[in-house]
Amino acid sequence: MKNKDMTTAMKNSISEVLETMFFLSLDFFHNDADIRDLWTMGKDQIVAAKLNFSGPLSGCAIFCIPKKSAVSITADFMGKDEEEISDDQINGTVKEIINMIIGNTFSRYDPDVVFDLGVPELVAFNDFLKEVSDSEKRFSIVIETLENYLAFQMNIKNA
Amino acid sequence: MAYNILIVDDSTPMRAVIKKVVKASGFNVGQFFEAMDGHDALKVLHHEWIDLVLTDYNMPHMNGLELVEKMNKDENLKSIPAIMITTEGSRERVQEFMAKGVTDYIKKPFTPEQIKQKLKHVMGATEDEKQRYDNGDEELDF
């Protein structure tokens, strides 16, 4: 597996998904940022969604976003005011983001290979930290938006 | 003619967005119906008149491909076009979709224009087929 190719595929997918469907203007932060140190708010204010995958590579991907930003993105996505947005809608949007980005990443990484994606689920931020320590190889990408940081991490167990 | 559309996706926001985009595309919609997975969709399909199914692939309980396979085995449902809206983009997976009876597919992320073109393409073809059938020309093939 070429690290550079996977990182490029992830970045291109993140840009395409967040700009096309969520109207976000974004910049990539430096690659080696430690996600644990990104946010000063309480860990309960971070919404995290996880997606397992299997195929030539297996593992999981996790997307972390401060709840305040998740509310704003969900409202824009659904064309509603922030006051109208429910927790269910926020969680659904965050899960949809990880689903779209990872599906898109793999088809960019190698369109001739089939990866099976699981169903996205919400996880506690602390569970995310455990996944980090269990993985053989990981790719972290931090995005800076106008309001906050968002983070993606792909953990690969059979690299 | 106004078309009844069934949107199948386990994500509430995504169902809302697809509905919004279809409306914005100017497509003539009679009524929208929604389902959270393949099982749920089959219940709707057996109780409502549906002209087009827009389904996600990756869902719990019954995925979009299993839904299309069930529809194709059912005499009452097999003529309903089904468009897969999916993040799955590998060539092999897309070939599998088509081989198993999916009418067309839209890759996420999508733009309103892409949705509009696919709906026009799929429902236009269906209208053509109806016209041929009405004219007694049943021998047309691909």
mmCIF file of all heavy atoms in Angstrom, chain A residues 16-17 20-21 77-79 88-89 92-93 96 99-100 103-104 107 111-119, chain B residues 9-14 16-17 20 56-60 87-93 107-111:
data_model
loop_
_atom_site.group_PDB
_atom_site.id
_atom_site.type_symbol
_atom_site.label_atom_id
_atom_site.label_comp_id
_atom_site.label_asym_id
_atom_site.label_seq_id
_atom_site.Cartn_x
_atom_site.Cartn_y
_atom_site.Cartn_z
ATOM 1 N N GLU A 16 -14.018 16.771 -2.169
ATOM 2 C CA GLU A 16 -15.172 16.615 -3.049
ATOM 3 C C GLU A 16 -16.478 16.514 -2.249
ATOM 4 O O GLU A 16 -17.452 17.201 -2.539
ATOM 5 C CB GLU A 16 -15.011 15.370 -3.942
ATOM 6 C CG GLU A 16 -16.129 15.286 -4.974
ATOM 7 C CD GLU A 16 -16.051 14.044 -5.856
ATOM 8 O OE1 GLU A 16 -15.103 13.259 -5.721
ATOM 9 O OE2 GLU A 16 -16.977 13.868 -6.669
ATOM 10 N N VAL A 17 -16.464 15.684 -1.222
ATOM 11 C CA VAL A 17 -17.699 15.476 -0.449
ATOM 12 C C VAL A 17 -18.092 16.739 0.319
ATOM 13 O O VAL A 17 -19.238 17.191 0.244
ATOM 14 C CB VAL A 17 -17.534 14.281 0.521
ATOM 15 C CG1 VAL A 17 -18.710 14.203 1.489
ATOM 16 C CG2 VAL A 17 -17.407 12.973 -0.255
ATOM 17 N N THR A 20 -18.901 19.661 -2.278
ATOM 18 C CA THR A 20 -20.057 19.444 -3.156
ATOM 19 C C THR A 20 -21.357 19.371 -2.373
ATOM 20 O O THR A 20 -22.359 19.970 -2.761
ATOM 21 C CB THR A 20 -19.893 18.116 -3.946
ATOM 22 O OG1 THR A 20 -18.664 18.162 -4.650
ATOM 23 C CG2 THR A 20 -21.031 17.921 -4.942
ATOM 24 N N MET A 21 -21.349 18.626 -1.279
ATOM 25 C CA MET A 21 -22.629 18.362 -0.601
ATOM 26 C C MET A 21 -22.839 19.170 0.668
ATOM 27 O O MET A 21 -23.954 19.293 1.150
ATOM 28 C CB MET A 21 -22.772 16.870 -0.303
ATOM 29 C CG MET A 21 -22.826 16.081 -1.598
ATOM 30 S SD MET A 21 -23.766 14.564 -1.524
ATOM 31 C CE MET A 21 -25.442 15.130 -1.396
ATOM 32 N N PHE A 77 -26.861 21.332 5.132
ATOM 33 C CA PHE A 77 -27.122 20.136 4.308
ATOM 34 C C PHE A 77 -28.614 19.966 4.054
ATOM 35 O O PHE A 77 -29.047 19.696 2.940
ATOM 36 C CB PHE A 77 -26.559 18.927 5.060
ATOM 37 C CG PHE A 77 -26.601 17.616 4.318
ATOM 38 C CD1 PHE A 77 -26.136 17.510 3.013
ATOM 39 C CD2 PHE A 77 -27.064 16.471 4.951
ATOM 40 C CE1 PHE A 77 -26.141 16.284 2.350
ATOM 41 C CE2 PHE A 77 -27.075 15.242 4.300
ATOM 42 C CZ PHE A 77 -26.609 15.150 3.000
ATOM 43 N N MET A 78 -29.393 20.172 5.107
ATOM 44 C CA MET A 78 -30.834 19.926 4.997
ATOM 45 C C MET A 78 -31.621 21.171 4.593
ATOM 46 O O MET A 78 -32.834 21.104 4.390
ATOM 47 C CB MET A 78 -31.371 19.371 6.324
ATOM 48 C CG MET A 78 -30.734 18.035 6.686
ATOM 49 S SD MET A 78 -31.451 17.287 8.149
ATOM 50 C CE MET A 78 -33.072 16.818 7.545
ATOM 51 N N GLY A 79 -30.930 22.307 4.513
ATOM 52 C CA GLY A 79 -31.628 23.538 4.144
ATOM 53 C C GLY A 79 -32.583 24.012 5.230
ATOM 54 O O GLY A 79 -33.668 24.520 4.944
ATOM 55 N N ASP A 88 -30.920 13.466 16.165
ATOM 56 C CA ASP A 88 -30.997 12.361 15.212
ATOM 57 C C ASP A 88 -30.480 12.809 13.833
ATOM 58 O O ASP A 88 -29.744 12.086 13.155
ATOM 59 C CB ASP A 88 -32.451 11.885 15.114
ATOM 60 C CG ASP A 88 -32.595 10.688 14.209
ATOM 61 O OD1 ASP A 88 -31.785 9.762 14.356
ATOM 62 O OD2 ASP A 88 -33.509 10.687 13.353
ATOM 63 N N GLN A 89 -30.855 14.006 13.452
ATOM 64 C CA GLN A 89 -30.413 14.528 12.151
ATOM 65 C C GLN A 89 -28.913 14.828 12.149
ATOM 66 O O GLN A 89 -28.221 14.572 11.163
ATOM 67 C CB GLN A 89 -31.214 15.787 11.798
ATOM 68 C CG GLN A 89 -32.666 15.463 11.465
ATOM 69 C CD GLN A 89 -33.555 16.692 11.440
ATOM 70 O OE1 GLN A 89 -33.264 17.711 12.075
ATOM 71 N NE2 GLN A 89 -34.659 16.602 10.716
ATOM 72 N N GLY A 92 -27.153 11.469 11.969
ATOM 73 C CA GLY A 92 -27.306 10.909 10.619
ATOM 74 C C GLY A 92 -26.384 11.591 9.619
ATOM 75 O O GLY A 92 -25.797 10.938 8.754
ATOM 76 N N THR A 93 -26.237 12.884 9.761
ATOM 77 C CA THR A 93 -25.365 13.624 8.833
ATOM 78 C C THR A 93 -23.905 13.246 9.044
ATOM 79 O O THR A 93 -23.158 13.024 8.083
ATOM 80 C CB THR A 93 -25.559 15.147 9.024
ATOM 81 O OG1 THR A 93 -26.930 15.453 8.767
ATOM 82 C CG2 THR A 93 -24.677 15.942 8.082
ATOM 83 N N GLU A 96 -23.321 9.941 7.575
ATOM 84 C CA GLU A 96 -23.342 10.004 6.106
ATOM 85 C C GLU A 96 -22.021 10.556 5.572
ATOM 86 O O GLU A 96 -21.533 10.128 4.528
ATOM 87 C CB GLU A 96 -24.522 10.877 5.646
ATOM 88 C CG GLU A 96 -24.833 10.781 4.174
ATOM 89 C CD GLU A 96 -25.147 9.372 3.701
ATOM 90 O OE1 GLU A 96 -25.940 8.677 4.358
ATOM 91 O OE2 GLU A 96 -24.591 8.955 2.669
ATOM 92 N N ASN A 99 -19.424 7.824 5.608
ATOM 93 C CA ASN A 99 -19.801 6.844 4.585
ATOM 94 C C ASN A 99 -19.388 7.322 3.186
ATOM 95 O O ASN A 99 -18.763 6.585 2.420
ATOM 96 C CB ASN A 99 -21.324 6.636 4.656
ATOM 97 C CG ASN A 99 -21.805 5.499 3.796
ATOM 98 O OD1 ASN A 99 -21.149 4.476 3.693
ATOM 99 N ND2 ASN A 99 -22.943 5.676 3.164
ATOM 100 N N MET A 100 -19.719 8.560 2.869
ATOM 101 C CA MET A 100 -19.413 9.084 1.535
ATOM 102 C C MET A 100 -17.913 9.224 1.340
ATOM 103 O O MET A 100 -17.392 8.891 0.281
ATOM 104 C CB MET A 100 -20.086 10.452 1.333
ATOM 105 C CG MET A 100 -21.533 10.346 0.947
ATOM 106 S SD MET A 100 -22.143 11.914 0.317
ATOM 107 C CE MET A 100 -22.735 12.670 1.795
ATOM 108 N N GLY A 103 -16.184 5.608 1.075
ATOM 109 C CA GLY A 103 -16.533 4.963 -0.196
ATOM 110 C C GLY A 103 -15.811 5.623 -1.354
ATOM 111 O O GLY A 103 -15.227 4.961 -2.226
ATOM 112 N N ASN A 104 -15.808 6.930 -1.343
ATOM 113 C CA ASN A 104 -15.157 7.707 -2.387
ATOM 114 C C ASN A 104 -13.630 7.525 -2.356
ATOM 115 O O ASN A 104 -12.980 7.428 -3.398
ATOM 116 C CB ASN A 104 -15.531 9.179 -2.152
ATOM 117 C CG ASN A 104 -15.312 10.027 -3.360
ATOM 118 O OD1 ASN A 104 -14.174 10.223 -3.758
ATOM 119 N ND2 ASN A 104 -16.379 10.530 -3.945
ATOM 120 N N SER A 107 -12.710 4.127 -3.950
ATOM 121 C CA SER A 107 -12.842 4.066 -5.410
ATOM 122 C C SER A 107 -11.790 4.927 -6.098
ATOM 123 O O SER A 107 -11.404 4.669 -7.223
ATOM 124 C CB SER A 107 -14.260 4.397 -5.873
ATOM 125 O OG SER A 107 -14.695 5.589 -5.330
ATOM 126 N N PRO A 111 -9.951 1.726 -8.246
ATOM 127 C CA PRO A 111 -11.319 1.473 -8.744
ATOM 128 C C PRO A 111 -11.549 0.029 -9.181
ATOM 129 O O PRO A 111 -12.682 -0.362 -9.446
ATOM 130 C CB PRO A 111 -11.433 2.431 -9.950
ATOM 131 C CG PRO A 111 -10.053 2.801 -10.317
ATOM 132 C CD PRO A 111 -9.202 2.668 -9.090
ATOM 133 N N ASP A 112 -10.478 -0.771 -9.251
ATOM 134 C CA ASP A 112 -10.647 -2.165 -9.669
ATOM 135 C C ASP A 112 -10.822 -3.114 -8.496
ATOM 136 O O ASP A 112 -10.937 -4.324 -8.684
ATOM 137 C CB ASP A 112 -9.433 -2.609 -10.505
ATOM 138 C CG ASP A 112 -9.420 -1.886 -11.839
ATOM 139 O OD1 ASP A 112 -10.500 -1.745 -12.440
ATOM 140 O OD2 ASP A 112 -8.340 -1.436 -12.255
ATOM 141 N N VAL A 113 -10.804 -2.593 -7.301
ATOM 142 C CA VAL A 113 -10.894 -3.454 -6.122
ATOM 143 C C VAL A 113 -12.174 -3.154 -5.337
ATOM 144 O O VAL A 113 -12.569 -1.997 -5.211
ATOM 145 C CB VAL A 113 -9.648 -3.221 -5.222
ATOM 146 C CG1 VAL A 113 -9.823 -3.871 -3.873
ATOM 147 C CG2 VAL A 113 -8.410 -3.763 -5.909
ATOM 148 N N VAL A 114 -12.821 -4.215 -4.862
ATOM 149 C CA VAL A 114 -14.055 -4.029 -4.091
ATOM 150 C C VAL A 114 -13.742 -4.029 -2.596
ATOM 151 O O VAL A 114 -13.088 -4.946 -2.097
ATOM 152 C CB VAL A 114 -15.071 -5.154 -4.397
ATOM 153 C CG1 VAL A 114 -16.287 -5.026 -3.489
ATOM 154 C CG2 VAL A 114 -15.501 -5.103 -5.857
ATOM 155 N N PHE A 115 -14.178 -3.001 -1.924
ATOM 156 C CA PHE A 115 -14.106 -2.946 -0.458
ATOM 157 C C PHE A 115 -15.534 -3.058 0.070
ATOM 158 O O PHE A 115 -16.450 -2.453 -0.486
ATOM 159 C CB PHE A 115 -13.504 -1.619 0.011
ATOM 160 C CG PHE A 115 -12.019 -1.514 -0.205
ATOM 161 C CD1 PHE A 115 -11.517 -1.012 -1.397
ATOM 162 C CD2 PHE A 115 -11.133 -1.926 0.774
ATOM 163 C CE1 PHE A 115 -10.144 -0.917 -1.603
ATOM 164 C CE2 PHE A 115 -9.768 -1.835 0.576
ATOM 165 C CZ PHE A 115 -9.268 -1.329 -0.616
ATOM 166 N N ASP A 116 -15.718 -3.829 1.109
ATOM 167 C CA ASP A 116 -17.033 -3.903 1.740
ATOM 168 C C ASP A 116 -17.075 -2.928 2.900
ATOM 169 O O ASP A 116 -16.247 -3.003 3.810
ATOM 170 C CB ASP A 116 -17.309 -5.329 2.241
ATOM 171 C CG ASP A 116 -17.563 -6.261 1.080
ATOM 172 O OD1 ASP A 116 -18.402 -5.923 0.219
ATOM 173 O OD2 ASP A 116 -16.895 -7.318 1.009
ATOM 174 N N LEU A 117 -18.049 -2.048 2.837
ATOM 175 C CA LEU A 117 -18.191 -1.053 3.909
ATOM 176 C C LEU A 117 -19.273 -1.507 4.880
ATOM 177 O O LEU A 117 -20.313 -2.012 4.467
ATOM 178 C CB LEU A 117 -18.589 0.307 3.323
ATOM 179 C CG LEU A 117 -17.663 0.914 2.264
ATOM 180 C CD1 LEU A 117 -18.157 2.300 1.866
ATOM 181 C CD2 LEU A 117 -16.223 0.987 2.759
ATOM 182 N N GLY A 118 -19.023 -1.297 6.163
ATOM 183 C CA GLY A 118 -20.041 -1.593 7.167
ATOM 184 C C GLY A 118 -21.058 -0.472 7.225
ATOM 185 O O GLY A 118 -21.054 0.440 6.393
ATOM 186 N N VAL A 119 -21.912 -0.559 8.226
ATOM 187 C CA VAL A 119 -22.897 0.504 8.432
ATOM 188 C C VAL A 119 -22.292 1.482 9.440
ATOM 189 O O VAL A 119 -21.808 1.068 10.498
ATOM 190 C CB VAL A 119 -24.228 -0.089 8.959
ATOM 191 C CG1 VAL A 119 -25.202 1.020 9.305
ATOM 192 C CG2 VAL A 119 -24.824 -1.025 7.917
ATOM 193 N N ASP B 9 -33.316 4.993 2.207
ATOM 194 C CA ASP B 9 -32.005 5.316 2.790
ATOM 195 C C ASP B 9 -32.151 5.279 4.305
ATOM 196 O O ASP B 9 -33.155 5.762 4.834
ATOM 197 C CB ASP B 9 -31.536 6.712 2.326
ATOM 198 C CG ASP B 9 -30.025 6.902 2.475
ATOM 199 O OD1 ASP B 9 -29.503 6.656 3.578
ATOM 200 O OD2 ASP B 9 -29.378 7.278 1.493
ATOM 201 N N ASP B 10 -31.152 4.720 4.985
ATOM 202 C CA ASP B 10 -31.250 4.662 6.443
ATOM 203 C C ASP B 10 -30.899 6.002 7.082
ATOM 204 O O ASP B 10 -31.078 6.172 8.293
ATOM 205 C CB ASP B 10 -30.358 3.542 7.019
ATOM 206 C CG ASP B 10 -28.913 3.666 6.581
ATOM 207 O OD1 ASP B 10 -28.667 4.070 5.425
ATOM 208 O OD2 ASP B 10 -28.026 3.346 7.382
ATOM 209 N N SER B 11 -30.423 6.945 6.295
ATOM 210 C CA SER B 11 -30.071 8.262 6.831
ATOM 211 C C SER B 11 -31.223 9.249 6.615
ATOM 212 O O SER B 11 -31.578 9.553 5.465
ATOM 213 C CB SER B 11 -28.798 8.758 6.124
ATOM 214 O OG SER B 11 -28.643 10.135 6.316
ATOM 215 N N THR B 12 -31.778 9.733 7.718
ATOM 216 C CA THR B 12 -32.878 10.707 7.623
ATOM 217 C C THR B 12 -32.445 11.963 6.860
ATOM 218 O O THR B 12 -33.159 12.417 5.966
ATOM 219 C CB THR B 12 -33.352 11.110 9.045
ATOM 220 O OG1 THR B 12 -33.615 9.918 9.777
ATOM 221 C CG2 THR B 12 -34.593 11.966 8.997
ATOM 222 N N PRO B 13 -31.273 12.545 7.170
ATOM 223 C CA PRO B 13 -30.864 13.731 6.413
ATOM 224 C C PRO B 13 -30.702 13.444 4.916
ATOM 225 O O PRO B 13 -31.052 14.266 4.087
ATOM 226 C CB PRO B 13 -29.521 14.110 7.041
ATOM 227 C CG PRO B 13 -29.540 13.503 8.392
ATOM 228 C CD PRO B 13 -30.328 12.253 8.276
ATOM 229 N N MET B 14 -30.150 12.270 4.588
ATOM 230 C CA MET B 14 -29.941 11.988 3.168
ATOM 231 C C MET B 14 -31.273 11.846 2.430
ATOM 232 O O MET B 14 -31.411 12.324 1.301
ATOM 233 C CB MET B 14 -29.087 10.717 3.006
ATOM 234 C CG MET B 14 -28.665 10.436 1.589
ATOM 235 S SD MET B 14 -27.916 11.839 0.700
ATOM 236 C CE MET B 14 -26.251 11.782 1.302
ATOM 237 N N ALA B 16 -33.959 13.432 3.165
ATOM 238 C CA ALA B 16 -34.456 14.812 3.027
ATOM 239 C C ALA B 16 -33.732 15.542 1.907
ATOM 240 O O ALA B 16 -34.344 16.284 1.127
ATOM 241 C CB ALA B 16 -34.281 15.556 4.354
ATOM 242 N N VAL B 17 -32.414 15.315 1.820
ATOM 243 C CA VAL B 17 -31.631 15.997 0.785
ATOM 244 C C VAL B 17 -32.003 15.487 -0.610
ATOM 245 O O VAL B 17 -32.163 16.276 -1.550
ATOM 246 C CB VAL B 17 -30.114 15.823 1.050
ATOM 247 C CG1 VAL B 17 -29.286 16.235 -0.151
ATOM 248 C CG2 VAL B 17 -29.723 16.639 2.265
ATOM 249 N N LYS B 20 -35.215 17.017 -1.555
ATOM 250 C CA LYS B 20 -35.029 18.438 -1.876
ATOM 251 C C LYS B 20 -34.426 18.602 -3.282
ATOM 252 O O LYS B 20 -34.883 19.428 -4.075
ATOM 253 C CB LYS B 20 -34.084 19.054 -0.830
ATOM 254 C CG LYS B 20 -33.924 20.551 -0.919
ATOM 255 C CD LYS B 20 -33.043 21.075 0.206
ATOM 256 C CE LYS B 20 -31.587 20.783 -0.022
ATOM 257 N NZ LYS B 20 -30.670 21.362 0.962
ATOM 258 N N ASP B 56 -30.382 3.732 -1.589
ATOM 259 C CA ASP B 56 -29.006 3.636 -1.122
ATOM 260 C C ASP B 56 -28.586 2.171 -1.248
ATOM 261 O O ASP B 56 -29.432 1.273 -1.351
ATOM 262 C CB ASP B 56 -28.974 4.085 0.355
ATOM 263 C CG ASP B 56 -27.575 4.123 0.950
ATOM 264 O OD1 ASP B 56 -26.598 4.225 0.184
ATOM 265 O OD2 ASP B 56 -27.462 4.061 2.192
ATOM 266 N N TYR B 57 -27.291 1.912 -1.267
ATOM 267 C CA TYR B 57 -26.825 0.516 -1.282
ATOM 268 C C TYR B 57 -26.586 0.003 0.140
ATOM 269 O O TYR B 57 -27.117 -1.021 0.553
ATOM 270 C CB TYR B 57 -25.527 0.417 -2.100
ATOM 271 C CG TYR B 57 -24.833 -0.919 -1.951
ATOM 272 C CD1 TYR B 57 -25.396 -2.066 -2.487
ATOM 273 C CD2 TYR B 57 -23.629 -1.030 -1.250
ATOM 274 C CE1 TYR B 57 -24.781 -3.303 -2.338
ATOM 275 C CE2 TYR B 57 -23.008 -2.255 -1.106
ATOM 276 C CZ TYR B 57 -23.585 -3.393 -1.650
ATOM 277 O OH TYR B 57 -22.970 -4.607 -1.483
ATOM 278 N N ASN B 58 -25.814 0.760 0.891
ATOM 279 C CA ASN B 58 -25.328 0.281 2.181
ATOM 280 C C ASN B 58 -26.315 0.613 3.304
ATOM 281 O O ASN B 58 -26.311 1.722 3.835
ATOM 282 C CB ASN B 58 -23.961 0.940 2.448
ATOM 283 C CG ASN B 58 -23.244 0.338 3.615
ATOM 284 O OD1 ASN B 58 -23.584 -0.752 4.074
ATOM 285 N ND2 ASN B 58 -22.251 1.052 4.122
ATOM 286 N N MET B 59 -27.182 -0.363 3.618
ATOM 287 C CA MET B 59 -28.186 -0.155 4.681
ATOM 288 C C MET B 59 -28.252 -1.401 5.555
ATOM 289 O O MET B 59 -27.978 -2.505 5.074
ATOM 290 C CB MET B 59 -29.574 0.070 4.053
ATOM 291 C CG MET B 59 -29.681 1.327 3.227
ATOM 292 S SD MET B 59 -31.325 1.497 2.497
ATOM 293 C CE MET B 59 -31.312 0.219 1.254
ATOM 294 N N PRO B 60 -28.654 -1.246 6.814
ATOM 295 C CA PRO B 60 -28.811 -2.425 7.666
ATOM 296 C C PRO B 60 -30.034 -3.251 7.230
ATOM 297 O O PRO B 60 -30.883 -2.742 6.511
ATOM 298 C CB PRO B 60 -29.025 -1.827 9.064
ATOM 299 C CG PRO B 60 -29.522 -0.447 8.820
ATOM 300 C CD PRO B 60 -28.942 0.005 7.518
ATOM 301 N N THR B 87 -22.148 5.318 -2.445
ATOM 302 C CA THR B 87 -20.739 5.726 -2.374
ATOM 303 C C THR B 87 -19.859 4.691 -3.070
ATOM 304 O O THR B 87 -18.686 4.937 -3.317
ATOM 305 C CB THR B 87 -20.258 5.817 -0.911
ATOM 306 O OG1 THR B 87 -20.377 4.533 -0.322
ATOM 307 C CG2 THR B 87 -21.053 6.815 -0.135
ATOM 308 N N GLU B 88 -20.430 3.513 -3.347
ATOM 309 C CA GLU B 88 -19.643 2.423 -3.932
ATOM 310 C C GLU B 88 -19.280 2.780 -5.371
ATOM 311 O O GLU B 88 -20.165 3.003 -6.189
ATOM 312 C CB GLU B 88 -20.476 1.134 -3.955
ATOM 313 C CG GLU B 88 -20.979 0.711 -2.593
ATOM 314 C CD GLU B 88 -19.969 -0.120 -1.835
ATOM 315 O OE1 GLU B 88 -19.065 -0.685 -2.469
ATOM 316 O OE2 GLU B 88 -20.096 -0.199 -0.603
ATOM 317 N N GLY B 89 -17.995 2.816 -5.658
ATOM 318 C CA GLY B 89 -17.626 3.252 -6.996
ATOM 319 C C GLY B 89 -16.714 2.301 -7.751
ATOM 320 O O GLY B 89 -16.256 2.615 -8.840
ATOM 321 N N SER B 90 -16.424 1.111 -7.185
ATOM 322 C CA SER B 90 -15.509 0.212 -7.894
ATOM 323 C C SER B 90 -16.204 -0.331 -9.145
ATOM 324 O O SER B 90 -17.417 -0.519 -9.166
ATOM 325 C CB SER B 90 -15.068 -0.941 -6.997
ATOM 326 O OG SER B 90 -16.116 -1.860 -6.841
ATOM 327 N N ARG B 91 -15.417 -0.564 -10.180
ATOM 328 C CA ARG B 91 -15.990 -1.041 -11.452
ATOM 329 C C ARG B 91 -16.738 -2.352 -11.253
ATOM 330 O O ARG B 91 -17.819 -2.554 -11.796
ATOM 331 C CB ARG B 91 -14.873 -1.239 -12.482
ATOM 332 C CG ARG B 91 -14.252 0.063 -12.915
ATOM 333 C CD ARG B 91 -13.272 -0.129 -14.063
ATOM 334 N NE ARG B 91 -12.591 1.133 -14.311
ATOM 335 C CZ ARG B 91 -11.351 1.394 -13.924
ATOM 336 N NH1 ARG B 91 -10.660 0.497 -13.275
ATOM 337 N NH2 ARG B 91 -10.806 2.564 -14.170
ATOM 338 N N GLU B 92 -16.148 -3.243 -10.451
ATOM 339 C CA GLU B 92 -16.761 -4.548 -10.228
ATOM 340 C C GLU B 92 -18.125 -4.416 -9.553
ATOM 341 O O GLU B 92 -19.089 -5.087 -9.909
ATOM 342 C CB GLU B 92 -15.828 -5.395 -9.352
ATOM 343 C CG GLU B 92 -16.167 -6.865 -9.342
ATOM 344 C CD GLU B 92 -15.176 -7.656 -8.505
ATOM 345 O OE1 GLU B 92 -13.954 -7.391 -8.598
ATOM 346 O OE2 GLU B 92 -15.626 -8.510 -7.743
ATOM 347 N N ARG B 93 -18.208 -3.523 -8.580
ATOM 348 C CA ARG B 93 -19.473 -3.335 -7.864
ATOM 349 C C ARG B 93 -20.538 -2.747 -8.792
ATOM 350 O O ARG B 93 -21.683 -3.179 -8.784
ATOM 351 C CB ARG B 93 -19.254 -2.404 -6.663
ATOM 352 C CG ARG B 93 -20.456 -2.281 -5.778
ATOM 353 C CD ARG B 93 -20.696 -3.496 -4.894
ATOM 354 N NE ARG B 93 -19.947 -3.392 -3.661
ATOM 355 C CZ ARG B 93 -19.715 -4.392 -2.832
ATOM 356 N NH1 ARG B 93 -20.186 -5.595 -3.094
ATOM 357 N NH2 ARG B 93 -19.012 -4.227 -1.736
ATOM 358 N N LYS B 107 -23.518 8.259 -8.164
ATOM 359 C CA LYS B 107 -22.482 8.154 -7.141
ATOM 360 C C LYS B 107 -22.542 9.353 -6.188
ATOM 361 O O LYS B 107 -22.685 10.489 -6.628
ATOM 362 C CB LYS B 107 -21.109 8.094 -7.830
ATOM 363 C CG LYS B 107 -20.017 7.587 -6.939
ATOM 364 C CD LYS B 107 -18.796 7.227 -7.769
ATOM 365 C CE LYS B 107 -17.675 6.757 -6.869
ATOM 366 N NZ LYS B 107 -17.364 7.638 -5.754
ATOM 367 N N LYS B 108 -22.469 9.069 -4.905
ATOM 368 C CA LYS B 108 -22.361 10.137 -3.911
ATOM 369 C C LYS B 108 -20.901 10.562 -3.816
ATOM 370 O O LYS B 108 -20.037 9.679 -3.820
ATOM 371 C CB LYS B 108 -22.793 9.648 -2.530
ATOM 372 C CG LYS B 108 -24.250 9.296 -2.364
ATOM 373 C CD LYS B 108 -24.453 8.788 -0.929
ATOM 374 C CE LYS B 108 -25.809 8.174 -0.719
ATOM 375 N NZ LYS B 108 -25.932 7.529 0.603
ATOM 376 N N PRO B 109 -20.578 11.818 -3.701
ATOM 377 C CA PRO B 109 -21.497 12.956 -3.633
ATOM 378 C C PRO B 109 -22.051 13.291 -5.021
ATOM 379 O O PRO B 109 -21.360 13.085 -6.015
ATOM 380 C CB PRO B 109 -20.615 14.095 -3.123
ATOM 381 C CG PRO B 109 -19.242 13.743 -3.613
ATOM 382 C CD PRO B 109 -19.173 12.242 -3.589
ATOM 383 N N PHE B 110 -23.271 13.797 -5.038
ATOM 384 C CA PHE B 110 -23.893 14.114 -6.323
ATOM 385 C C PHE B 110 -24.264 15.597 -6.359
ATOM 386 O O PHE B 110 -24.360 16.254 -5.321
ATOM 387 C CB PHE B 110 -25.145 13.261 -6.533
ATOM 388 C CG PHE B 110 -26.095 13.274 -5.370
ATOM 389 C CD1 PHE B 110 -26.912 14.363 -5.111
ATOM 390 C CD2 PHE B 110 -26.164 12.189 -4.510
ATOM 391 C CE1 PHE B 110 -27.777 14.377 -4.037
ATOM 392 C CE2 PHE B 110 -27.038 12.192 -3.424
ATOM 393 C CZ PHE B 110 -27.846 13.289 -3.187
ATOM 394 N N THR B 111 -24.471 16.080 -7.568
ATOM 395 C CA THR B 111 -24.944 17.455 -7.726
ATOM 396 C C THR B 111 -26.401 17.393 -8.183
ATOM 397 O O THR B 111 -26.824 16.370 -8.746
ATOM 398 C CB THR B 111 -24.122 18.208 -8.797
ATOM 399 O OG1 THR B 111 -24.313 17.536 -10.060
ATOM 400 C CG2 THR B 111 -22.647 18.237 -8.456
#
